[in-house]
């Protein structure tokens, strides 16, 4: 069973469109994250949710809106896509602040290409 | 601001050569330290981690890393690399006892092992 799963794996779309990426984890973790990996492989955190509550919101355009319906899911919705949004988006999860050890478990990534 | 530096951008080695990848961080407090590996087309996987205790930690696939607090370093080593070690390697740092579970990544080092 995949511990952290993301869909879709590949997404090609036109500028201006709205798209979503879904993430689910079956590890029983209560903290989930979205990371963006650019073309130079640099990984930067975008958002983090703990028990459905937003706890990290880095300087990300408000066209990006995360949604966590429950602690096992964290979806990423992107409005009005721009060329610069092309990247690989990784979902991750970890244990929460109590018993937190810092280890993140990553999904396989969703490669978004904006044309 | 906390930062993580990986000075080697791309390392090319022949099989059986020894490997050392540098990692330095800038945070002065107590930290957790990690090395993650990303094989071509795959998600990030944890190689090893340091929280406390013995500063020499052993990970999977024969990798080890040494935490040198005075140098703010956590270099990754392997005595004899294999072709299958070709991948991108990321050092990461997280502050202990913080309410924000934010893992800061270095920019990565690409390792190419020539058979």
């Amino acid at each position: 069973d995949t511990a952290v799963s993301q869909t879709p794996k590949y997404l090609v779309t036109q500028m201006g469109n709205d798209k979503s990426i879904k993430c689910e984890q079956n590890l029983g973790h209560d903290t989930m994250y979205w990371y963006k990996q650019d073309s130079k492989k640099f990984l930067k955190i975008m958002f983090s949710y703990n028990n459905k509550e937003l706890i990290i919101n880095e300087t990300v355009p408000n066209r990006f809106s995360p949604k966590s319906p429950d602690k096992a899911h964290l979806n990423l919705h992107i409005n009005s896509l721009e060329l610069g949004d092309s990247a690989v988006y990784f979902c991750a999860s970890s244990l929460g602040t109590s018993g937190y050890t810092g280890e993140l478990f990553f999904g396989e990534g969703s490669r978004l290409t904006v044309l | 601001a906390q930062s993580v530096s990986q000075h080697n951008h791309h390392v090319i080695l022949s099989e059986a050569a020894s490997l050392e990848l540098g990692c330095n961080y800038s945070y002065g407090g107590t930290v957790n330290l990690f090395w993650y590996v990303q094989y071509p087309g795959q998600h990030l996987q944890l190689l090893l981690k340091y929280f406390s205790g013995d500063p020499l930690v052993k990970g999977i696939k024969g990798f080890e890393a040494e935490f040198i607090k005075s140098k703010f370093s956590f270099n990754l080593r392997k005595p004899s690399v294999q072709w299958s070690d070709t991948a991108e390697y990321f050092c990461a740092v997280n502050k202990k006892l913080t309410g924000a579970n934010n893992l800061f990544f270095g920019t990565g080092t690409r390792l190419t092992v020539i058979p």
Side-chain angles (χ1 to χ4, degrees):
Chain A
D1 280 344
T2 304
V4 182
S5 58
Q6 301 177 223
T7 54
K9 219 175 165 184
Y10 299 96
L11 188 52
V12 181
T13 188
Q14 301 284 335
M15 272 176 55
N17 284 351
D18 303 337
K19 290 293 176 187
S20 292
I21 307 171
K22 295 185 176 181
C23 179
E24 175 181 4
Q25 54 94 4
N26 62 7
L27 296 167
H29 291 163
D30 49 11
T31 305
M32 295 184 72
Y33 311 78
W34 277 110
Y35 276 81
K36 180 180 179 180
Q37 186 177 47
D38 63 22
S39 57
K40 294 182 180 178
K41 298 284 190 178
F42 182 57
L43 272 160
K44 194 171 188 313
I45 192 165
M46 300 173 69
F47 302 103
S48 175
Y49 271 73
N50 179 262
N51 278 323
K52 303 192 295 176
E53 183 183 339
L54 182 66
I55 55 171
I56 294 174
N57 183 354
E58 291 297 302
T59 49
V60 176
N62 57 15
R63 297 182 295 103
F64 290 77
S65 52
K67 284 189 172 49
S68 183
D70 55 62
K71 72 175 192 178
H73 296 84
L74 180 62
N75 303 325
L76 183 65
H77 188 76
I78 315 169
N79 289 329
S80 303
L81 279 156
E82 300 177 357
L83 292 176
D85 297 332
S86 295
V88 181
Y89 292 85
F90 285 98
C91 178
S93 73
S94 72
L95 289 170
T97 50
S98 62
Y100 176 65
T101 59
E103 180 178 353
L104 268 60
F105 293 80
F106 284 86
E108 293 190 346
S110 297
R111 182 177 294 276
L112 172 65
T113 303
V114 182
L115 303 175
Chain B
Q2 182 162 296
S3 69
V4 182
S5 301
Q6 291 182 245
H7 305 295
N8 312 107
H9 181 63
H10 189 187
V11 172
I12 302 173
L13 294 172
S14 298
E15 274 194 316
S18 64
L19 169 72
E20 180 158 3
L21 302 182
C23 173
N24 289 89
Y25 63 95
S26 64
Y27 182 64
T30 304
V31 296
N32 299 318
L33 298 156
F34 307 81
W35 275 97
Y36 279 84
V37 61
Q38 186 177 23
Y39 296 105
Q42 295 189 27
H43 64 289
L44 282 88
Q45 302 169 45
L46 184 69
L47 264 183
L48 48 79
K49 58 190 177 187
Y50 171 80
F51 295 142
S52 63
D54 189 344
L56 184 62
V57 291
K58 295 195 183 298
I60 59 171
K61 304 187 181 187
F63 286 91
E64 65 178 32
E66 185 175 12
F67 170 50
I68 303 179
K69 192 174 180 180
S70 60
K71 294 184 178 180
F72 297 90
S73 70
F74 190 56
N75 293 354
L76 181 72
R77 299 194 292 248
K78 185 170 183 178
S80 176
V81 295
Q82 301 172 318
W83 175 79
S84 58
D85 293 325
T86 294
E88 195 89 21
Y89 292 81
F90 294 90
C91 181
V93 173
N94 140 274
K95 290 183 286 185
K96 288 193 176 182
L97 304 178
T98 177
N101 303 327
N102 196 349
L103 205 57
F104 293 90
F105 283 88
T107 50
T109 298
R110 183 188 301 176
L111 172 65
T112 301
V113 180
I114 302 168

